[in-house]
Every structure is written in structure tokens, then in C-alpha cells.
Amino acid sequence: MRIAGIILLIVGLLLGIGSNLTVFVDPPSIIIVVTFVLGALWISGASVPAMFRALGSGELDSVAATSAARSWGLAAHAAAVAGVVGVLIGAVIMLKNLDDIGALGPGLAICILTALYGLVIGYGFCLPCQRYVGSKV
């Protein structure tokens, strides 16, 4: 059922995006979200490899499952917050370039796509992972 959910999520996103896939790829936005989430996890002392091992592991002890589920929950919240931070960064870039309308595009891309990436990663990937690992407790 997990695989079907992942496929449905990806297919739904791709159908919504259509032939505009390259427009939705913005490296600065990806960097903001991924580094923010990893930084939050490392600051909290979460073990990122243990989080991914918990997804594939059939047998988990209660402590490892609880720790991994808590870490996935933190990652979900951090991804959403990273989206908000990206919106603010993009807004600052846009405000800096208000006198040149043609230069607003990169700031707007960061503003919107960072929020999109944060929400999709946080609520489309990390939160389901938290629920799955938490169900193993």
C-alpha cells in the first residue's frame, strides 16, 4: 500500500504540472529546504540514517521506532518552516529588485517554489513516514 501511495502522490503531482516540469525545478529553493531540514535534524541530534533504516526495517525495537517517528515529525515541521523562510528570502530579493521588473522573476521563483517544496516534502513525504514508523511502535 505504501508503494501505491507514493506512486499516486508522484503521478498526481506530475499530472498537475503537465509539460511544465522544468519550470518547477529551482536549485536555490531546493537548497534552502534541504539544508534547513538537515540542519534542524542535526541540531536536534536526530540520526538521519536511522530514520531511513526505520522505513525499510521489518523489525524495530520500541525505542528506535519512537525516535525515528519523532525525527520524521521534526523533519515535517522543519520542511514547512523552511518553506516560510524561503518565502521571506524570495520577498527580500523581490523588494531589492523593485526598480527592475525583469529581475523580479528569480525572487518570485524562490518565494513560491520554496513554499511548494517545503509543503510537499513536509506533508507529502515526512508526515506519512512519521505515521508509518509510528505505527511500528
Side-chain angles (χ1 to χ4, degrees):
M1 203 61 170
R2 259 188 313 166
I3 299 297
I6 292 169
I7 290 171
L8 182 63
L9 178 70
I10 292 170
V11 168
L13 285 173
L14 291 176
L15 286 175
I17 292 171
S19 63
N20 301 312
L21 185 60
T22 57
V23 176
F24 283 88
V25 177
D26 185 50
S29 297
I30 294 169
I31 291 168
I32 289 169
V33 173
V34 170
T35 57
F36 194 96
V37 171
L38 286 176
L41 289 170
W42 289 341
I43 288 169
S44 73
S47 171
V48 176
M51 291 166 58
F52 283 98
R53 275 194 305 272
L55 290 177
S57 175
E59 295 286 327
L60 274 181
D61 62 30
S62 177
V63 174
T66 303
S67 174
R70 202 172 290 136
S71 297
W72 279 114
L74 173 64
H77 291 298
V81 170
V84 172
V85 169
V87 167
L88 296 173
I89 290 170
V92 168
I93 292 170
M94 286 177 15
L95 290 172
K96 177 184 168 261
N97 296 317
L98 270 180
D99 50 341
D100 181 13
I101 298 296
L104 292 178
L108 186 59
I110 290 174
C111 198
I112 294 173
L113 290 177
T114 306
L116 175 70
Y117 296 157
L119 291 172
V120 168
I121 291 170
Y123 294 106
F125 181 72
C126 294
L127 193 60
C129 289
Q130 178 195 15
R131 301 284 186 222
Y132 173 73
V133 173
S135 71
K136 292 182 173 186
V137 175

